[in-house]
Amino acid sequence: MLQVIQLNDKAFTGAIPPNIGNLKSLYSLVLNNNQLETNDWSFLTALSNCTYLQDLQLSANKLYGVLPNAIANLSTSLEHLDMSFNQLEGSLPVGFGDLINISMLTLSRNFLTGAIPATLARLEMLQGLFLDHNNFSREIPSNFGNFTRLSMLDLSFNGLSGNIPSSLGKCSLEVLSLGNNKLTGALPKDIFLISTLSIYLGFPHNLLSGPIPSEVGSLKNLIQLDIRENNFSGQIPTPLGECQIMEYLYLDGNLFQGPIPSALSQLRGLQELDLSQNNLSGPIPEFLETFSQLSYFNLSFNNLEGEVPLKGVFLNASAISIVGNRRLCGGISELKLPPCPIETSKKKHPSLKLKLVILVPIAILACILLLSFAIAQYWRHKSRKEPANMTNFNDTYIWVSYADLVRATEGFSPANLIGAGSFGSVYKGNIGGAEDINVVAVKVLNLQQRGASRSFTAECEALRCIRHRNLVKILTACSSVDFKGDDFKALVFEYLPNGSLDSWLHPKVGEQSRVLTLIQRLDIAIDVASALDYLHHHGPVPIVHCDLKPSNVLLDDDMVAHVGDFGLARFLKASFNLSSQKSTSSAALKGSIGYVAPEYGMANKVSTSGDIYSYGILLLEMFTGKRPIDESFKDGLSLRMYVEMAQANQVIDIVDRDMLEEQNGNVRST
C-alpha cells in the first residue's frame, strides 16, 4: 500500500531496483540528489506497473545512456517528470508524446541531441517544459503553439537553429527563454503580443536580426527583457517606454543606433540597464538621473557625447560604465573624464523687461500647481490604508501567504535550513517549480524572541527603499497567521548559493574545506565597502547597518558579496556633519560582540563611523582567519591588538595560513 517514497539528498549509490514496480499504489517517487545509476533501464520498464504514478523525480543523479521508448509506457496519470542534471544521451524518445496528462517536464542539463520531437505538442496539459543546457539541434517545432496552457518554456543553451516560430504567440507564457542557440531571422510580432509574459523574455546570444517590433510595448507586465548579443538594428523602439513594470533591460551587443529615446523615461523601476556595444549617439539623457532604483548602468562602447550627469546612479562610479565613448566629458572625478568646454552664447539676450513678462506668470502658475499637488498628496497619504497582511512594499513585490511558504520549504523542513540567527531561521525554498528562477531564501522570525517583531519592521523599512548590486535583494514579505492562528512573519530574499562569508572563513567540522584566494578576499572587501558607501551616502536616506559581520555577507554564483540582515538598521536624520547624525530610533542598541564599535557602549547614538569600525574588524578577520572572539585571545587581547602588535616584518606571521598556501600553490602552478 506504499504510496510515497521520498529519499532525496541521501547519497544513495547503485542501481534503482526494478522490483520497485511491485508497488502498485505508488504515486510519488522522489530520488533527487543522490548518486544512483542505471544499466539497462529495467526499473523504468517496471514502473509501468504503477498505474497511479503521478510524480517521478530523478534529478541530480548519475543516470546515463539513451532513454528507452519504454518511457511511453509510464502511467498516463503522470503529471511531473524530472530527470535533469544527469548524463542522458541520444535523442528524445517520441514516446514522451503519449504522457498526455503531464504538466511539468524537466530534462535540463543533460547531453541530449537531435531534434526536439514534434510529438511533444500532444501534451496539451503541459505547463512547464525545461530542455535547457542540452545539445538539441534543428528548428523549434512549429506546432508548439498547441501548448495553450504552457506558462514556462526554457530551450536555452542548445544548438537550435532556424526562425522562432510565430505559433508560440498562442501560448500563455510567463517565461520564454531561448538564449544561447543559433536562431536566425527577425523576431515574430506574435511573441510580443503574449499578454501573460511577466517574468522573463530572453533571446540572448543568438544570430537574430532586424528591428525590434513596435509590439514590444504590449509587454506591460514584463519584468525582464534580454536580447543581448544578437544583430538587432535600427533605433531602440519608443514603445519600450510602455513597459513600466520592467526592472531589467539588456540590449547590449547589437547594432542599435540613434539617440537613447526619451520614452525610456517612463521605466522608473529599472534596476539594471545595459546599452553597451551598440552604435548609439547623442547625449546621455538627464532623466536617467531620476531612476532611484537603478544600480547597474552600462553605456560603454557607443558614440555618445556631451556631459555626463551628476545625480542618481551617476554618483556611483562602480555602478556605471561609460568607457569607449570618446566624446563624453564631465561627470564625477572617479570617471576621469576631461572637463566639458564652457560655451558662451553669441545670441542676443532678451531684455530684462521681456524676461519678467514671460517668467513672472510662469512662476505664479508653477507655485499654484505645486501647492495643489502638495495638498492632494497630503490627503491621499492621510486616507490611504495599508493592506492587513503585508508590510508597505511596492506593488511590484509578489504576494505570498503562509501556506505558500510552507509548500516552498516543504513544511520548513530541517533539510532546507540554511542558517539561524538571534531573531529567526532561514530556509531554502522554491516558490514555483523552475529552480533557476524561483529558488529563494525564506527568513522566518521567531516571534517568541524579544525584539523579533521590531527587527522585522526595521528590516522591511530599510529594504523597501534601497537597491544596490552589493545588497541582498528582498523579493517580498509575509505578515499573517499560521495554521494554529499564531502570528507569523517572514521575509523572502533571493537565494545566494555560495552561502555566507563566515562559512568560507570558518568551515564547520566535517564540512568540505573551501579556501578564498587573496584576490577573492580583496574583491569581497571592495563589494562590502561599496554597499556601505551606498547605505551611508547614496541611498534615499542615510542608513547605518549596525550589525556588519561575515555571517551577514552572502556570496552569489560569481562570488560577488551582498550585505544582508537589516534587522538592527537605523535611519539617520539628514546632516552634513556625520558626528552629529542621530538615530531615528531610541531603542537600546544591540549588535554582535567583537564587531560593535566601543563608543556604542557609552551612548545610544549611532553613526556611520560605527559601521566603519565593524568593517575594519571584518577586514582583519578576512585576512587573518581569526574571529574577534577567538579562543586564543585572552587577558584583554583583541583581534585589533593582535594585528597591531605584529611589526612590519612580522605581518606574514598573522596572515591566514590557508590563504598563503592557496596563493603559493597558484604561483607554483604558473
Side-chain angles (χ1 to χ4, degrees), residues 336-612:
K336 299 180 180 180
L337 294 175
C340 295
I342 301 176
E343 298 182 0
T344 56
S345 177
K346 298 182 179 181
K347 297 182 179 180
K348 184 177 180 180
H349 295 285
S351 66
L352 177 60
K353 183 177 180 180
L354 180 59
K355 287 181 180 180
L356 291 175
V357 170
I358 296 173
L359 295 179
V360 170
I362 294 176
I364 293 173
L365 180 59
C367 289
I368 294 173
L369 290 174
L370 285 173
L371 181 61
S372 301
F373 179 78
I375 294 172
Q377 288 294 98
Y378 170 79
W379 285 109
R380 180 184 176 188
H381 177 76
K382 187 174 181 180
S383 61
R384 185 175 56 193
K385 295 181 179 179
E386 298 293 341
N389 67 331
M390 180 68 98
T391 304
N392 184 20
F393 277 72
N394 293 335
D395 292 339
T396 55
Y397 291 97
I398 58 174
W399 285 52
V400 293
S401 64
Y402 171 75
D404 292 331
L405 297 182
V406 170
R407 286 192 295 270
T409 60
E410 298 178 345
F412 303 111
S413 167
N416 289 325
L417 183 66
I418 56 178
S422 56
F423 291 130
S425 303
V426 182
Y427 298 86
K428 180 180 178 181
N430 190 309
I431 59 175
E435 292 191 3
D436 291 340
I437 299 173
N438 293 313
V439 178
V440 296
V442 182
K443 179 179 180 180
V444 180
L445 278 294
N446 178 11
L447 299 181
Q448 304 302 317
Q449 178 70 30
R450 184 179 178 183
S453 293
R454 185 166 60 244
S455 172
F456 174 82
T457 302
E459 196 153 9
C460 287
E461 289 300 319
L463 292 171
R464 68 191 290 263
C465 61
I466 54 177
R467 294 289 187 277
H468 191 271
R469 64 179 179 177
N470 294 124
L471 297 179
V472 174
K473 180 181 177 182
I474 187 168
L475 303 178
T476 190
C478 178
S479 179
S480 184
V481 294
D482 60 19
F483 294 149
K484 297 179 181 179
D486 297 327
D487 287 341
F488 175 84
K489 295 183 186 298
L491 296 163
V492 183
F493 300 92
E494 66 176 337
Y495 176 69
L496 300 176
N498 272 319
S500 70
L501 174 60
D502 186 84
S503 66
W504 284 78
L505 297 176
H506 313 290
K508 296 179 180 179
V509 177
E511 286 186 345
Q512 182 180 0
S513 178
R514 303 178 296 178
V515 179
L516 292 170
T517 65
L518 173 62
I519 297 301
Q520 286 176 319
R521 298 182 198 220
L522 287 172
D523 287 341
I524 291 170
I526 293 171
D527 290 339
V528 176
S530 298
L532 286 183
D533 180 60
Y534 170 79
L535 291 173
H536 294 171
H537 304 294
H538 303 301
V541 61
I543 295 177
V544 181
H545 186 277
C546 290
D547 197 20
L548 186 65
K549 56 184 178 180
S551 60
N552 289 337
V553 176
L554 304 178
L555 306 173
D556 65 15
D557 277 317
D558 300 317
M559 297 300 287
V560 175
H562 303 255
V563 175
D565 196 344
F566 285 78
L568 299 179
R570 300 287 192 273
F571 292 87
L572 298 183
K573 295 180 180 179
S575 172
F576 293 102
N577 184 1
L578 288 178
S579 63
S580 67
Q581 289 179 336
K582 298 180 180 180
S583 167
T584 58
S585 171
S586 60
L589 182 68
K590 296 180 180 180
S592 298
I593 298 175
Y595 302 94
V596 179
E599 61 266 25
Y600 281 2
M602 297 178 287
N604 190 31
K605 295 180 180 180
V606 302
S607 72
T608 54
S609 301
D611 277 355
I612 301 305

Side-chain angles (χ1 to χ4, degrees), residues 309-318 320 332 334 533 537-538:
L310 289 169
K311 298 178 182 178
V313 70
F314 297 98
L315 289 172
N316 186 358
S318 64
I320 64 172
I332 58 176
E334 289 89 338
D533 180 60
H537 304 294
H538 303 301

